[in-house]
Amino acid sequence: MISIGDGCKLAPDVSFQCKNITIGSNAVIHNRVTFLGERITIGDNVWIGQDSILDGDSGISIGDKVTIGFGTYIHTHSATRGVVKRRDPVVIGDGSWLMSRVYVNPG
């Protein structure tokens, strides 16, 4: 299920491969952003830069007024040599700024 709030601006090549995604009002999502996994919740007034990947296999929650720079990767699992070591949700609080090319893993 995909739910998109009022006033959102999404690039035409945003890829929704997530089973359940909710995007709040006035979000801006740029080119080549990919949403994967089971569950992603995005608050109001969020900006996500191009070429970012959000893998919500164990759940991602992004608060209001969050900025995510281009090329950012948010994963809800970590692995070593192909073996998954940890699966946990990722929560990014209100007003957070993730600069370009940031990698976020659970924990």
Side-chain angles (χ1 to χ4, degrees), residues 80-103:
T80 302
R81 296 185 185 151
V83 177
V84 174
K85 298 288 187 179
R86 181 176 187 154
R87 289 186 189 275
D88 285 309
V90 170
V91 177
I92 299 170
D94 292 346
S96 296
W97 282 51
L98 303 178
M99 300 313 289
S100 299
R101 302 198 194 288
V102 171
Y103 290 81

Side-chain angles (χ1 to χ4, degrees), residues 9 17-19 22 27 30 32 35 38 49-50 59 69 83 86 91 96:
K9 296 178 183 174
Q17 300 175 44
C18 182
K19 290 182 181 176
T22 301
H30 284 272
R32 299 175 305 278
F35 297 103
E38 294 292 323
Q50 66 267 23
V83 177
R86 181 176 187 154
V91 177
S96 296

Side-chain angles (χ1 to χ4, degrees), residues 31-80:
N31 295 1
R32 299 175 305 278
V33 171
T34 301
F35 297 103
L36 304 167
E38 294 292 323
R39 186 180 71 258
I40 299 173
T41 303
I42 299 172
D44 297 333
N45 302 301
V46 171
W47 188 96
I48 301 176
Q50 66 267 23
D51 298 318
S52 294
I53 298 173
L54 287 76
D55 185 348
D57 195 45
S58 296
I60 295 174
S61 177
I62 299 172
D64 296 334
K65 298 180 182 176
V66 171
T67 298
I68 298 174
F70 71 88
T72 294
Y73 296 93
I74 302 173
H75 298 278
T76 58
H77 61 277
S78 60
T80 302

